[in-house]
Amino acid sequence: MKKLFLIFLLSSGLFSDEYIDLGDEAFVKKHYIQAVELYKQSSAQKTLEVKFRLIQCYLKLGDNFFKINEYETSLSWYRSAKKLNSKISIEKISKVYEAQADQYNKIHKYKIALILY
């Protein structure tokens, strides 16, 4: 009977804040994708606290991909952050477009560069 009660508690999500703690641990280790998955598993994922943590992960991932010139992937992560808070990451998104435009400008593809600027 005790085992059934424990299984019920675990399956009901009463211990799901453990996902937040595990997500925090992953974030500190810079395992941002793992942290995102853990935060999403939390039953508290609709709370401001978890949304804030997800936004932090998305921005970190966007920053990391920006640093290695993977602009499309970077934009994807920034847009994920923007979906949770429309005011966030607009500046970062504009920097990605500017960096892309700079690359096109260097290879003399000026029309594409102008569109991105």
Side-chain angles (χ1 to χ4, degrees):
M1 184 66 172
K2 287 181 183 179
K3 286 183 183 179
L4 286 176
F5 182 70
L6 182 59
I7 291 171
F8 170 74
L9 286 177
L10 290 172
S11 66
S12 69
L14 294 176
F15 292 110
S16 64
D17 282 349
E18 181 180 340
Y19 288 116
I20 294 173
D21 295 336
L22 292 171
D24 289 347
E25 287 177 28
F27 184 86
V28 168
K29 293 177 183 175
K30 298 183 180 182
H31 299 157
Y32 304 120
I33 293 174
Q34 181 184 11
V36 166
E37 294 305 317
L38 289 164
Y39 292 142
K40 285 182 175 182
Q41 290 180 43
S42 169
S43 67
Q45 70 173 321
K46 303 270 188 230
T47 66
L48 289 176
E49 176 185 11
V50 173
K51 282 185 181 181
F52 175 75
R53 285 180 164 102
L54 280 169
I55 288 169
Q56 284 181 309
C57 289
Y58 293 150
L59 293 177
K60 290 286 188 184
L61 285 162
D63 292 346
N64 289 337
F65 282 101
F66 181 82
K67 288 176 189 174
I68 60 172
N69 298 332
E70 290 195 26
Y71 299 124
E72 291 303 317
T73 306
S74 176
L75 278 173
S76 176
W77 288 112
Y78 290 147
R79 287 181 182 135
S80 294
K82 190 176 180 226
K83 284 179 187 174
L84 294 178
N85 184 336
S86 62
K87 295 178 184 174
I88 208 136
S89 77
I90 293 172
E91 181 180 327
K92 291 183 179 282
I93 289 172
S94 65
K95 285 182 181 180
V96 173
Y97 284 126
E98 183 178 359
Q100 284 179 316
D102 289 344
Q103 283 188 331
Y104 282 110
N105 193 29
K106 286 178 187 174
I107 60 171
H108 308 287
K109 293 192 176 191
Y110 304 115
K111 287 182 182 180
I112 297 172
L114 281 173
I115 292 168
L116 292 167
Y117 281 129

